[in-house]
Amino acid sequence: AVLARGGASSILEGLRAHPADRKLQEEGCDALMNLACGEAGKREMASLGAAAVVEAAVAAFPSCTSASECLAALQGSVDLA
């Protein structure tokens, strides 16, 4: 339901708008990781360019495990299902 209502897009907009806010980046990446659990979520994330946004969060906050785990999930190296 969240994907169908544009939730991923809204989260990504927030991440893009507040790149220096560590807590927002952390929570946003956690939310994206939850949405990317299924194939539909992964496809949606890919179509929205989520990996690039999360890569920016990883670069800005290298110690943020939420961002690095989310990036791994989006790139397919972590099975969340």
Side-chain angles (χ1 to χ4, degrees), residues 2-13 16 32 35 40-54 74:
V2 174
L3 285 175
R5 295 185 179 187
S9 180
S10 295
I11 293 165
L12 289 167
E13 285 177 30
R16 287 183 185 110
L32 289 176
L35 293 175
K42 288 180 183 176
R43 282 192 303 273
E44 178 76 8
M45 298 300 154
S47 74
L48 294 171
V53 176
V54 176
L74 292 173

Side-chain angles (χ1 to χ4, degrees), residues 7-81:
S9 180
S10 295
I11 293 165
L12 289 167
E13 285 177 30
L15 293 174
R16 287 183 185 110
H18 303 282
D21 186 331
R22 179 186 169 92
K23 187 65 174 169
L24 187 138
Q25 296 295 315
E26 183 177 356
E27 296 296 331
C29 287
D30 281 341
L32 289 176
M33 195 162 43
N34 287 331
L35 293 175
C37 284
E39 286 305 311
K42 288 180 183 176
R43 282 192 303 273
E44 178 76 8
M45 298 300 154
S47 74
L48 294 171
V53 176
V54 176
E55 284 172 354
V58 170
F61 305 105
S63 65
C64 179
T65 56
S66 294
S68 57
E69 289 173 359
C70 182
L71 184 59
L74 292 173
Q75 294 174 337
S77 60
V78 173
D79 183 13
L80 299 174

